[in-house]
Amino acid sequence: MKIFVINLDRAPQRLERMASLFGELGLDFTRVSAVDGRDLADRQARRGMYYDLGSGEIGCFLSHIKCWDAATKADGEYTAIFEDDVHFGAGARELLVDTSWIPADADVVKLETTLVRTLVDRDSAARAGDRSVRRLRDTHPGTGAYIVSRKGARKLLELSADFADPVDQFMFNPVSVAWNALTIYQVDPAICVQEVVVGKDGAADALASGLKHERPVQEKARGTEKLMREIARPLGRLAASVGAGLRGQRWGKVRFR
């Protein structure tokens, strides 16, 4: 399948690193020049459901739109899209040189994990080597690594004509307009994880997210509020797990391997 890597012109070190990683996998990729938020400084922030999008978030979304547009014109049915701060797990090559494992109805297959709890079907729709491919049923943010089909790319282009939320929330959150229009699968365990999630190999400075300053940071809970949260957390997890089991789903973190 075609492989795209989104990379800012001012981040050559990231590109060199990705070239090295794909070289080790024996795979070619096409660089997609990212839309730089600094060039959009005068563009008005977009008011979304989660927070107002700044120029960096808008640039990120526009970069993925460039990839979706290219995916609709690519020769193959499927295109793999990567941001330039991902780490690969074992067996990534095998998944990227073959498309026979991808479910026929898939619009998007998420290859990464952000190590947050989410819902996936308990039963696998397909197998990708020794990994399961399960329907994604709840929020799982992050657009560091995913496969999009040609029909999925067309849907994403149409639905994002007037976007106002971060691209990962647009794609992977059930309250998004895109969610009900897309059939989304999750590779489990995931083959990719972003640097911002794991902070591997002392690469944090070179790979630090340029969007971090635009995403709001929640204030730490104090006193009684913190105590009530600590009490409610295990009860919420138990309720989510029981409910998921009754629906034939599994509630938990998607592992990285």
Side-chain angles (χ1 to χ4, degrees):
M1 70 185 83
K2 191 77 172 180
I3 297 175
F4 293 144
V5 173
I6 298 171
N7 172 252
L8 284 165
D9 292 345
R10 56 182 166 86
Q13 289 183 321
R14 288 184 175 221
L15 182 61
E16 291 174 6
R17 175 181 168 276
M18 294 302 293
S20 176
L21 291 178
F22 278 108
E24 292 173 2
L25 295 175
L27 296 173
D28 295 324
F29 68 89
T30 298
R31 176 183 178 268
V32 174
S33 179
V35 176
D36 196 333
R38 294 181 181 179
D39 297 334
L40 305 174
D42 295 333
R43 182 173 295 201
Q44 187 174 2
R46 300 191 180 198
R47 186 174 298 279
M49 289 185 291
Y50 309 96
Y51 52 86
D52 292 353
L53 292 193
S55 57
E57 292 273 19
I58 294 172
C60 181
F61 206 128
L62 292 173
S63 300
H64 283 270
I65 286 177
K66 288 178 69 173
C67 292
W68 302 336
D69 182 59
T72 66
K73 303 167 185 174
D75 293 334
E77 176 63 27
Y78 301 102
T79 300
I81 299 172
F82 297 91
E83 295 178 356
D84 61 5
D85 63 341
V86 297
H87 298 280
F88 289 104
R93 173 182 167 79
E94 287 68 26
L95 269 67
L96 296 173
V97 297
D98 177 30
T99 62
S100 63
W101 59 270
I102 301 175
D105 63 341
D107 291 309
V108 177
V109 181
K110 192 172 174 68
L111 301 175
E112 73 171 317
T113 179
T114 51
L115 301 179
V116 298
R117 288 179 175 80
T118 189
L119 276 174
V120 294
D121 281 356
R122 187 174 298 279
D123 295 332
S124 298
R127 299 288 299 179
D130 61 349
R131 301 169 194 268
S132 298
V133 184
R134 310 176 192 273
R135 276 293 300 271
L136 183 64
R137 299 294 185 179
D138 204 351
T139 305
H140 191 189
T143 48
Y146 60 94
I147 294 170
V148 63
S149 68
R150 186 181 290 110
K151 63 183 175 65
R154 292 193 186 107
K155 291 179 184 180
L156 288 165
L157 284 175
E158 180 180 353
L159 293 166
S160 62
D162 189 27
F163 68 87
D165 293 300
V167 63
D168 57 343
Q169 298 292 339
F170 169 78
M171 292 182 69
F172 301 120
N173 191 318
V175 303
S176 165
V177 65
W179 182 267
N180 289 328
L182 298 172
T183 301
I184 303 173
Y185 287 88
Q186 171 72 56
V187 172
D188 182 21
I191 64 166
C192 290
V193 66
Q194 286 183 286
E195 170 66 27
V196 69
V197 176
V198 293
K200 289 182 65 175
D201 302 330
D205 290 340
L207 301 180
S209 172
L211 304 179
K212 187 175 181 181
H213 69 283
E214 292 191 6
R215 300 205 168 191
V217 178
Q218 293 182 346
E219 294 183 2
K220 292 184 178 179
R222 291 186 251 175
T224 304
E225 181 184 358
K226 182 176 181 180
L227 175 61
M228 295 305 295
R229 285 189 188 180
E230 293 300 319
I231 293 173
R233 185 174 291 118
L235 295 177
R237 290 175 184 169
L238 177 61
S241 297
V242 171
L246 293 174
R247 295 189 299 270
Q249 298 167 353
R250 188 181 69 191
W251 168 255
K253 294 180 181 179
V254 176
R255 294 175 295 139
F256 167 64
R257 188 179 71 211

